[in-house]
Structure formats: structure tokens, C-alpha cells
Amino acid sequence: MKLLVCGAAGFIGSTFVELRVREHGDEVTVLDALTYAGRQENLEAVQAEIRFMAGAIEDPAAVAGAIGDAEAIVNFAAETHVDRSIADPYAFSVTNGLGTHVLLEAARERGLRYVQVSTDEVYGSIETGSFTESSPLAPSSPYSASKTGGDLLVSSYFHTYGLPTNICRGSNNYGPRQYPEKLIPLMVLNALAGDHLPVYGDGRQVRNWLYVEDFGRGIGHVLEHGVPGETYNCGGPDECENIEVVQRILTLTGGDESQIEYVTDRPGHDRRYSLSCAKLEALGWSARTRFDDGLGRTVDWYRENSAWWEPIRSGAYREYYERHYGRALR
Ligand code: NAD
Ligand code: DAU
């Protein structure tokens, strides 16, 4: 298939592109604005086989220049970190809202297939049970509200113009090349450095962990088999409280419990996410990686790839960290 994949210099998009090139022989053009979270080296393994274009999805000229003879657009491009959306929300509306809209228009003009990569956070928090695709949308943060806005635009293009769209909503991903602002890579790198491990609130919030290759394959499955206009949840096989994730990381890294520091909670913090994936499973997808196995592999990857994360931890990320946590990184 000929694909325009937006936002693929980031964590999940780069994994998706590797899978599509290696396992399906797809012809891929990547469009990515290379924000703080995007790095071309994330695509190193397939760089000779893909076309890379630097540009923003909210820029119609950049999108027109990248689209070529693509048959489908898969959109990963987004501002993705909840804490940043609380401190600086406008960028989220621009990329996640307007950017999605520009891509939909480009798809409509050319009659292309369109897959929007979305998140379980659009449903808000759930104390017990799991969200299905028909659960009400109740986002809590500027990040999740902007992703919900994007999803609603996607649905409107199916209903109004008959554009063959799908939405694929993932739970919390983890794995190689995740930017260290997110819980798992942050805790792994701080544990290895002997630094503090900042746990928000009581640490009893629950997330539904999905190994990044499982999400990449889930999105590919939706691209190939999704019924136009439908939304598919794609969640991980295991739920875990944050404090338990941190304790497992301490065991895997040889760190010490005294590194754990309870810090002020995130405003509006969602307590628990949980997805029912029965609809995508009925289409033939299932998660392959259990959390224990994937977490071990992820810790090993960060241990063996300091050349990937050292430039991040010595650059602008240090300033972000100091501003957000009120203390310097070690
Ligand atoms: P990421 O932050 O690692 O990467 C985002 C990528 O988008 C970067 O390469 C960045 O340069 C690019 N980008 C940002 N703004 C852009 C713009 N205006 N134009 C073009 N490119 C732009 O994100 P990720 O964790 O890989 O998430 C990818 C997608 O998956 C997002 O849509 C996110 O909402 C969704 N998602 C993420 C998770 C998760 O746990 N990380 C879970 C479910 C869904
Ligand atoms: O659920 C899918 C979503 O998962 C994606 O849509 C988002 O793009 C992605 O960032 C992620 O959002 P979360 O807010 O769940 O992930 P994060 O890694 O920021 O935090 C996971 C949990 O860990 C959450 O309960 C907050 C907590 N946490 C996070 C950080 C960064 C801490 O306790 N301490 C921290 O320092």
C-alpha cells in the first residue's frame, strides 16, 4: 500500500512505519514537523526505504507537497503529553484539532482512506469495568479534549462526505524510543541514574499498558480490515497501578525504594483507564506482549541505547524537567 504517515518521527509512528515496511512492503512517505518529540533518527532502520518530508500537518502546502500518490493517510502527528497540555495548551488545539482537519480536507479532495490514531483518554476516567467504542466521550485534560475534537472531525467527514475513515484508540503505550517525559522511560532513566522517581499523588492510578508493536499492528489491522466509519479500541492485556510499575522498574534496574518520592498530583488527574477491545479482536487482532515481558525488554533497550537518550537528557528536556518538577535532573 502507498501510505502518507504523519508524525512518524515519534515513538509509535516510527514503530508503525518499521512494521509496515518490513512486514507488508508498504511504500511510505513520512510527514513530520520534528518537534521536541520527533527525531529523524527514530526512522534510521528504514531510512533508505522511505521518503521523509519535514513539515506540519496544519500547513496545507506541506501536506499537498507530501501526499504524492498515497492511497491512505495514517495520522500519528500530535502533541501528546498531558502535563505539557496543562502548562501550555494552545499547541494542542493547533496540531490535534486544526492539523487533523487539514489532513481530512486533503483526504477528501483526493478520495483517500484515512486512519486517525487516537487515545483511550477521550472517554475520561472509569472506576470499574472497561470503555467500549460506544461509551460517552468525556475528556478531562486539554490534551484529551483536543484529541476528542480531532476524532469528532474524523467522524463528521465520514457522515457528511462519505470519506472512508477509521479511528483507532490506544491505551498507554510503552517500549523503545519513547520520549523520557512519559512515566516508564522517565522512571527507567532516573532509576539507572540513581535520581528520584517522582510519583504523582498516591500513585494508585491505574493504566492499561500496551506494548508499542502491538499498537502498531493494531493500527495496521484497522487500516487493512476496518469497516469505514467505525472506531476500534486497542488496549493492552494488563492493568497496573503506577506505584507497582515504579516498583517493578526498581527491581529490573537494581534501584532502591528510597528513590521514590511522592510529589504534588497532576491537576484533573484521571484515576483509571481501561479499554474493551472485543471489537478489534473480532476483526482478528490481539495483543501479543504481556506487561512483564515487554517491561523487561524496554528496560534492556534503554540500558543498551544510551546514545539515543543521552542527547535528550542533556538538552532542552533538562529545562522542561526543572520547570515541571522544580528540581534539576542528575
Ligand atoms: P510522540 O510525542 O512520541 O510523537 C509525536 C510526533 O508527532 C513527533 O514526531 C512530532 O514531531 C510529530 N508532530 C507533532 N506536532 C506535529 C505537527 N503539527 N505536524 C507534524 N508532525 C507533528 O507521540 P506518540 O506517543 O508516538 O503518539 C503518537 C500518536 O498516538 C498520537 O496521536 C497520540 O495521541 C496517540 N497515542 C499515544 C499513546 C501513548 O501512550 N503514547 C497512546 C494512545 C494513543
Ligand atoms: O492513555 C493513553 C495516553 O497515555 C496517551 O494518549 C498519551 O499521549 C500518553 O502520554 C499517555 O498519557 P498518561 O497521562 O496516562 O501518561 P504519562 O506517562 O504521562 O503518565 C502515566 C501515569 O503516570 C499517569 O497516571 C501519571 C503518572 N505519572 C507520570 C509522570 C510523567 C507520575 O506519577 N509521575 C510522572 O512523573
Side-chain angles (χ1 to χ4, degrees):
M1 212 182 285
K2 291 179 184 166
L3 300 179
L4 174 64
V5 187
C6 303
F11 164 52
I12 305 170
S14 60
T15 304
F16 173 81
V17 168
E18 267 188 47
L19 290 170
R20 294 305 303 185
V21 170
R22 293 271 174 268
E23 298 179 0
H24 301 269
D26 285 348
E27 276 178 46
V28 174
T29 296
V30 169
L31 176 66
D32 195 295
L34 297 177
T35 68
Y36 77 93
R39 300 164 85 196
Q40 233 180 306
E41 68 200 78
N42 286 343
L43 290 159
E44 212 164 19
V46 286
Q47 68 180 359
E49 288 132 289
I50 64 167
R51 187 167 74 114
F52 182 88
M53 307 282 286
I57 57 168
E58 64 273 19
D59 175 358
V63 173
I67 212 157
D69 58 353
E71 297 159 279
I73 299 177
V74 184
N75 181 32
F76 292 84
E79 288 293 337
T80 62
H81 192 41
V82 173
D83 293 331
R84 289 187 193 252
S85 84
I86 294 166
D88 188 11
Y90 283 133
F92 288 72
S93 298
V94 173
T95 297
N96 304 356
L98 179 61
T100 299
H101 203 163
V102 170
L103 291 178
L104 286 165
E105 269 301 296
R108 180 168 82 91
E109 280 163 17
R110 297 163 181 83
L112 305 183
R113 180 108 176 66
Y114 184 93
V115 176
Q116 175 77 349
V117 179
S118 188
T119 170
D120 57 4
E121 298 199 16
V122 300
Y123 301 116
S125 190
I126 189 166
E127 284 293 318
T128 54
S130 301
F131 290 118
T132 69
E133 290 79 358
S134 50
S135 297
L137 301 177
S140 329
S141 69
Y143 162 69
S144 51
S146 66
K147 290 294 292 184
T148 307
D151 285 10
L152 292 175
L153 280 167
V154 174
S155 299
S156 80
Y157 270 61
F158 170 73
H159 288 292
T160 307
Y161 304 113
L163 191 73
T165 60
N166 285 115
I167 299 169
C168 185
R169 295 186 176 136
S171 63
N172 279 67
N173 277 229
Y174 68 103
R177 297 195 299 264
Q178 187 170 28
Y179 197 81
E181 65 192 353
K182 307 282 164 59
L183 180 77
I184 287 182
L186 181 152
M187 295 296 173
V188 170
L189 295 182
N190 280 18
L192 291 173
D195 210 339
H196 79 142
L197 307 181
V199 173
Y200 295 162
D202 64 3
R204 307 283 311 272
Q205 303 83 5
V206 173
R207 295 294 183 266
N208 181 192
W209 293 100
L210 175 65
Y211 194 64
V212 64
E213 285 184 8
D214 280 331
F215 193 30
R217 289 201 175 89
I219 296 160
H221 207 79
V222 169
L223 173 68
E224 287 178 13
H225 305 290
V227 176
E230 293 295 317
T231 294
Y232 297 90
N233 288 344
C234 186
D238 298 294
E239 291 186 7
C240 201
E241 287 186 350
N242 291 340
I243 190 63
E244 197 191 327
V245 173
V246 172
Q247 276 156 349
R248 288 192 201 198
I249 289 171
L250 281 173
T251 305
L252 289 164
T253 53
D256 190 271
E257 288 258 346
S258 65
Q259 288 175 254
I260 296 175
E261 191 180 311
Y262 288 92
V263 301
T264 309
D265 206 353
R266 171 186 281 173
H269 199 168
D270 284 334
R271 195 72 182 163
R272 176 171 174 267
Y273 299 135
S274 181
L275 286 181
S276 160
C277 310
K279 190 171 166 184
L280 188 52
E281 285 167 355
L283 212 62
W285 171 89
S286 59
R288 298 181 187 174
T289 310
R290 299 302 302 264
F291 189 50
D292 263 347
D293 178 30
L295 188 62
R297 279 200 256 160
T298 302
V299 170
D300 288 346
W301 187 87
Y302 281 94
R303 225 197 268 282
E304 288 156 17
N305 287 278
S306 55
W308 184 90
W309 53 259
E310 266 167 1
I312 296 175
R313 279 179 62 103
S314 59
Y317 173 72
R318 293 189 87 82
E319 286 153 38
Y320 160 77
Y321 195 92
E322 197 166 331
R323 228 178 16 255
H324 183 65
Y325 295 97
R327 59 184 289 174
L329 261 188
R330 215 175 249 184

